């Protein structure tokens, strides 16, 4: 669950739509070969559910939505991620954080 795109918390998303949103953020390693296997694993582990929907421009599309389990995992991950990024910031910019450590 730790890699599930947080944007999916706002409603069902088509896999390619998620890929586009990740690409637009500048996230590294955002390709179909990275994202689709991850979505398949998330579907099996059940933090997401899927629905097939007819597409006006091609084959049916699989849409992904967070389950209650997924929303809980996403909220938990958001806390861990914030703590992790703060720790990394302190590590790579120690001079900027020296005043905070002394307080």
């Amino acid at each position: 669950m730790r890699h599930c795109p947080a944007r999916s918390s706002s409603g069902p998303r088509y896999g390619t739509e998620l890929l586009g949103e990740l690409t637009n953020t500048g996230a590294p390693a955002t390709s179909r070969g990275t994202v689709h296997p991850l979505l398949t694993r998330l579907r099996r582990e059940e933090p997401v559910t899927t629905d097939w929907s007819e597409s006006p421009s091609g084959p049916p599309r699989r849409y992904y939505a967070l389950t209650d389990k997924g929303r809980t995992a996403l909220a938990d991950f958001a806390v861990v991620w914030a703590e992790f990024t703060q720790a990394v910031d302190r590590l790579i910019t120690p001079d900027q954080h020296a005043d905070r450590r002394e307080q």
Side-chain angles (χ1 to χ4, degrees):
M1 179 60 206
R2 61 185 173 273
H3 300 291
C4 184
R7 292 270 305 151
S8 64
S9 64
S10 62
R13 293 280 196 268
Y14 174 49
T16 300
E17 180 182 15
L18 287 168
L19 178 60
E21 289 177 7
L22 281 169
T23 299
N24 289 340
T25 69
T30 51
S31 70
R32 287 177 192 241
T34 301
V35 174
H36 285 284
L38 174 61
L39 291 171
T40 298
R41 191 183 94 221
L42 291 171
R43 189 179 79 238
R44 281 194 309 260
E45 294 175 5
E46 299 179 350
V48 299
T49 59
T50 60
D51 254 339
W52 285 98
S53 183
E54 291 298 322
S55 169
S57 61
R61 295 178 175 182
R62 186 184 299 257
Y63 285 83
Y64 297 82
L66 287 174
T67 61
D68 288 342
K69 177 181 176 180
R71 281 186 282 283
T72 298
L74 180 59
D76 292 347
F77 177 72
V79 171
V80 171
W81 184 254
E83 293 169 353
F84 174 75
T85 58
Q86 290 170 7
V88 170
D89 285 345
R90 286 190 301 271
L91 181 65
I92 63 175
T93 57
D95 294 340
Q96 294 176 7
H97 298 281
D99 294 336
R100 292 184 195 153
R101 286 192 303 262
E102 294 171 6
Q103 294 177 356

